[in-house]
């Protein structure tokens, strides 16, 4: 697909570009309505086709759970873990800028399938939960109070540590908007054992010395918007003596892990990044 079309979709999903503006520009770039429709079919999510772990997987227990958030908010989440009574390392799964979508729930099941207590947090709980309409979800993400949202994720980590089926060790993995949150959790939670950020924007340099978690950073080589912050972040990590691993996957786009969006998904990069993610979790969470 024309890289300009992928860049336009990235602008649409991350900037205040209305759907009408996006579609008008897409038609021009694609060269007509029919070609634009074909492009849209592989740009927008196809959740049913991309699910890798069934919702009724016989090895997993899934449930909708809640815990106290900030300012009286009841936070909601999708909790998944393997069957059997065993204390496990726990992982917060942090969604993209559309909320707790079926894709992120599938990723949560993938984490659980690897042997962990996995919690997909719905950051939009403060608005009643993730809406079905993704444009509405993106709009609500922009209305979140930054500090309240951070505190709600910190509360999710405390909730997991206190559960009787947790071994007390915690990690997080986030994608896009969630990648930025994973970086933020690393700078604000000294008890966090591992943080994995997929193509997430970077925290302020002055917060970097606070990081205690083992850090794993995945970037897409074609993701100019996010990658612009890489040099300053890496310099701050080195200056503070923070342990980290950083990988830039060649010739792939932002959201290369999202297999519900065929135009940007890259199976080779996604599988390699996931294997590195699980390796870190095994080392740090047990």
């Amino acid at each position: 697909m024309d890289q300009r079309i992928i860049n336009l979709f990235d602008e649409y999903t991350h900037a205040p570009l209305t759907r009408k503006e996006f579609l008008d520009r897409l038609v021009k770039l694609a060269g007509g309505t029919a070609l634009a429709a074909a492009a849209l079919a592989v740009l927008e999510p196809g959740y049913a086709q991309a699910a890798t772990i069934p919702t009724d997987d016989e090895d997993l227990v899934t449930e909708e759970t809640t815990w106290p958030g900030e300012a009286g908010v009841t936070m909601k989440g999708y909790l998944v873990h393997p069957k059997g009574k065993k204390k496990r390392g726990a992982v917060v799964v942090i969604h993209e800028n559309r909320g707790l979508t079926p894709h992120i729930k599938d990723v949560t099941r993938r984490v659980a399938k690897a042997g962990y207590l996995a919690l997909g947090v719905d950051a939009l709980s403060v608005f009643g939960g993730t809406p079905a309409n993704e444009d509405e979800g993106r709009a609500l993400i922009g209305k979140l109070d930054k500090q309240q949202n951070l505190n709600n994720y910190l509360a999710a980590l405390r909730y997991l540590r206190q559960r009787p089926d947790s071994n007390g060790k915690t990690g997080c993995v986030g994608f896009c908007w969630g990648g930025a949150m994973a970086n933020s959790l690393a700078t604000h939670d000294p008890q966090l054992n591992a943080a994995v950020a997929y193509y997430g924007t970077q925290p302020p340099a002055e917060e970097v010395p606070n990081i205690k978690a083992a850090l794993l950073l995945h970037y897409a080589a074609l993701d100019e918007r996010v990658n612009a912050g890489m040099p300053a972040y890496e310099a701050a990590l080195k200056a503070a003596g923070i342990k980290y691993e950083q990988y830039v996957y060649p010739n792939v786009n932002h959201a290369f892990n999202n297999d519900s969006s065929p135009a940007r998904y890259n199976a080779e990069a996604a599988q390699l990044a996931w294997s590195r993610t699980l390796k870190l979790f095994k080392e740090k969470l047990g």
Side-chain angles (χ1 to χ4, degrees):
M1 181 177 291
D2 188 327
Q3 186 65 39
R4 294 176 300 168
I5 291 177
I6 294 176
N7 292 344
L8 173 63
F9 187 68
D10 186 70
E11 181 183 352
Y12 167 57
T13 55
H14 295 94
L17 191 67
T18 68
R19 186 164 186 82
K20 183 180 184 305
E21 291 170 327
F22 164 64
L23 292 175
D24 287 346
R25 288 171 58 180
L26 178 60
V27 169
K28 292 178 181 178
L29 278 176
T33 304
L35 291 174
L40 200 60
V42 293
L43 284 167
E44 295 197 312
Y47 295 128
Q49 304 92 314
T52 61
I53 308 294
T55 57
D56 59 351
D57 186 286
E58 62 182 12
D59 297 325
L60 300 177
V61 176
T62 65
E63 63 178 278
E64 303 294 330
T65 190
T66 61
W67 62 95
E70 188 176 76
V73 171
T74 297
M75 293 298 296
K76 303 174 183 179
Y78 181 64
L79 186 70
V80 191
H81 59 84
K83 290 182 178 178
K85 294 183 178 180
K86 176 183 177 181
K87 290 183 179 293
R88 305 177 186 277
V91 178
V92 165
V93 180
I94 315 171
H95 56 64
E96 299 157 314
N97 67 341
R98 285 156 280 182
L100 188 58
T101 62
H103 165 65
I104 294 300
K105 288 186 173 182
D106 187 59
V107 173
T108 305
R109 293 193 295 273
R110 296 176 203 177
V111 174
K113 193 75 171 177
Y116 302 98
L117 179 63
L119 177 63
V121 175
D122 189 346
L124 297 179
S125 298
V126 297
F127 300 119
T130 296
N133 184 297
E134 294 205 347
D135 283 342
E136 291 179 12
R138 279 190 286 266
L140 290 174
I141 286 284
K143 295 178 181 178
L144 287 170
D145 179 84
K146 184 176 180 180
Q147 188 61 50
Q148 181 187 28
N149 183 57
L150 172 61
N151 289 342
N152 286 337
Y153 272 99
L154 292 170
L157 287 167
R158 291 194 298 271
Y159 164 72
L160 286 176
R161 293 184 187 116
Q162 293 166 3
R163 284 183 59 93
D165 48 359
S166 167
N167 66 10
K169 297 179 181 180
T170 50
C172 66
V173 56
F175 307 86
C176 181
W177 181 89
M181 178 53 64
N183 281 322
S184 188
L185 288 176
T187 65
H188 285 85
D189 190 336
Q191 292 182 265
L192 191 66
N193 300 97
V196 183
Y198 280 74
Y199 29 85
T201 55
Q202 301 79 8
E206 61 270 19
E207 295 180 356
V208 169
N210 299 331
I211 296 174
K212 304 299 181 184
L215 197 61
L216 175 56
L217 308 172
H218 299 303
Y219 292 105
L222 301 178
D223 189 4
E224 296 179 0
R225 177 180 55 84
V226 169
N227 295 355
M230 285 175 53
Y233 192 20
E234 187 165 25
L237 288 166
K238 289 180 177 178
I242 305 299
K243 181 181 178 181
Y244 74 99
E245 292 180 75
Q246 176 175 284
Y247 299 97
V248 181
Y249 298 85
N251 304 313
V252 300
N253 284 285
H254 182 88
F256 68 79
N257 186 73
N258 191 334
D259 47 1
S260 71
S261 180
R264 297 185 293 173
Y265 174 62
N266 184 284
E268 182 179 359
Q271 290 165 10
L272 179 56
W274 191 245
S275 69
R276 288 167 169 165
T277 297
L278 293 185
K279 179 176 181 289
L280 180 67
F281 286 163
K282 184 176 182 180
E283 292 172 354
K284 300 301 178 180
L285 307 183

